[in-house]
Structures are given as structure tokens and as C-alpha cells.
Amino acid sequence: MSTTLPDILEGAYDLPPTLIGSSFIAFSVGSGLCVVVCKLFLDSIYIKLKNSHKGVGQPEYRMPLIIVGAFTMPFVIAAY
């Protein structure tokens, strides 16, 4: 995204370089929010799954968020 977005914004929308640079703020905020959401939910999902299996944790218990991401990724790419 960081390599193609400036060309798209400049060519299709005739934005000046200052506005193109500021468009990366939204990208940074979105990435930061994603990190916070993953931090909040990943541990709680893992603990619930671990407790439901007699306290034995497995790496696979971290997969529910990966599955959500796998299903939403095509829509995000299409929107881009």
C-alpha cells in the first residue's frame, strides 16, 4: 500500500504531495487500532480456550482472529 497509494492519489485525484503524505496518517491510525484490538482480544480468546481444555494451552488457540482476518482480507483489498 505504501508504494502504490501515492501514485493513485497523485494520478487519479491530482492531490499535492502534502495531502498525499497526510493520507498515511489514516493508515497509521488504522494499524495502531488493529494492534490494540488484537492485544485486547487475543489474550482473552486464548485464556477461554485454554480453560475449556483443562488448562492446557495450544498454539492453535490463537487462530480465531487469524480466521477473521483471512475472511475480511479480500474485501479490504477490493476496497483499496
Side-chain angles (χ1 to χ4, degrees), residues 22-48:
S22 67
S23 67
F24 285 101
I25 293 173
F27 179 70
S28 300
V29 168
S31 296
L33 285 174
C34 186
V35 168
V36 169
V37 167
C38 285
K39 166 71 174 95
L40 291 174
F41 290 113
L42 188 59
D43 288 339
S44 64
I45 291 170
Y46 183 82
I47 290 169
K48 284 181 185 178

Side-chain angles (χ1 to χ4, degrees), residues 5-78:
L5 185 62
D7 294 334
I8 292 171
L9 293 176
E10 185 178 8
Y13 300 107
D14 294 324
L15 291 178
T18 54
L19 288 179
I20 292 171
S22 67
S23 67
F24 285 101
I25 293 173
F27 179 70
S28 300
V29 168
S31 296
L33 285 174
C34 186
V35 168
V36 169
V37 167
C38 285
K39 166 71 174 95
L40 291 174
F41 290 113
L42 188 59
D43 288 339
S44 64
I45 291 170
Y46 183 82
I47 290 169
K48 284 181 185 178
L49 288 172
K50 183 179 83 168
N51 290 339
S52 69
H53 290 93
K54 300 179 185 176
V56 178
Q58 298 289 327
E60 293 84 13
Y61 297 162
R62 300 188 187 276
M63 289 197 59
L65 284 179
I66 296 171
I67 293 169
V68 171
F71 282 109
T72 58
M73 181 72 80
F75 299 109
V76 172
I77 291 173

